[in-house]
Amino acid sequence: MLNRIRNFLARHMLLTNIGTSCAQIGTADIIQQHINGDVDRDGWDWRRTCRMAAIGLVMAPSLHCFYRVLDTRKFKGSKNCKVLKKLAWDTSFIPFFSCTFITVGAIYEGKSPQAAFAEYCRKMWHIWKVDFTLWPPAQLINFYFLPPALRVVYVNLVSLLYNCIMSYIKNNELHHPSH
């Protein structure tokens, strides 16, 4: 059974990754709306959930291509050295992926590209705190233990937690603490 799943994922990785990403981001938004009390206060905002889920249409192909390139690079050294090099590359792309997430979501809301990027700039320090706390350890597990065919699926599972947080950040104005 596991071999059949692996074969399916290997043959249809991009479609699997897109479907998983859309479902996972949408689910994370529903969870976040419940946790934040939005559903009790205003009812479920299914349009927002659809917009959030549709972010997966952009994020999944981006991640799919990124990991394919990363997995085909011939990093030299021991397994530990190779994993650390992949982790460094992955960490260096965190700002690109978080910017894509927020700006695509804002564009789906009807904002201009400039307004979408401005939203990202307002929220980026909050996002980066989450990004750099969660992703490096998660990706260490990803690169050290998992075969390439399961990488985006694994990232999507970790992303369920991450995207609950991102949904909150995306759909709320946050304030910097005063010093």
Side-chain angles (χ1 to χ4, degrees), residues 26-144:
T27 300
D29 182 67
I30 293 168
I31 291 168
Q32 192 285 321
Q33 286 189 47
H34 280 281
I35 290 171
N36 200 44
D38 298 342
V39 173
D40 293 336
R41 191 174 45 255
D42 304 318
W44 173 46
D45 186 348
W46 64 270
R47 287 180 183 91
R48 175 183 130 176
T49 298
C50 289
R51 286 191 306 271
M52 292 295 293
I55 293 170
L57 296 172
V58 176
M59 293 301 298
S62 300
L63 289 166
H64 177 85
C65 292
F66 176 73
Y67 289 125
R68 286 189 66 143
V69 169
L70 202 57
D71 288 334
T72 59
R73 288 198 44 118
K74 300 296 181 202
F75 293 108
K76 299 196 185 307
S78 66
K79 181 178 181 179
N80 291 345
C81 185
K82 290 176 185 178
V83 167
L84 290 175
K85 288 176 183 178
K86 282 185 175 185
L87 187 59
W89 273 101
D90 185 74
T91 302
S92 70
F93 277 83
I94 285 174
F96 168 77
F97 290 121
S98 62
C99 180
T100 301
F101 187 103
I102 295 296
T103 56
V104 166
I107 288 169
Y108 287 161
E109 292 171 342
K111 295 179 181 172
S112 70
Q114 293 82 6
F117 186 70
E119 178 180 342
Y120 172 71
C121 290
R122 280 193 318 275
K123 298 176 177 183
M124 75 178 182
W125 295 115
H126 296 286
I127 295 166
W128 286 9
K129 286 186 277 186
V130 175
D131 282 346
F132 289 103
T133 301
L134 177 66
W135 286 117
Q139 292 297 57
L140 183 64
I141 293 167
N142 187 18
F143 297 139
Y144 195 81

Side-chain angles (χ1 to χ4, degrees), residues 1 6 107 167:
M1 178 69 167
R6 282 186 186 154
I107 288 169
S167 176

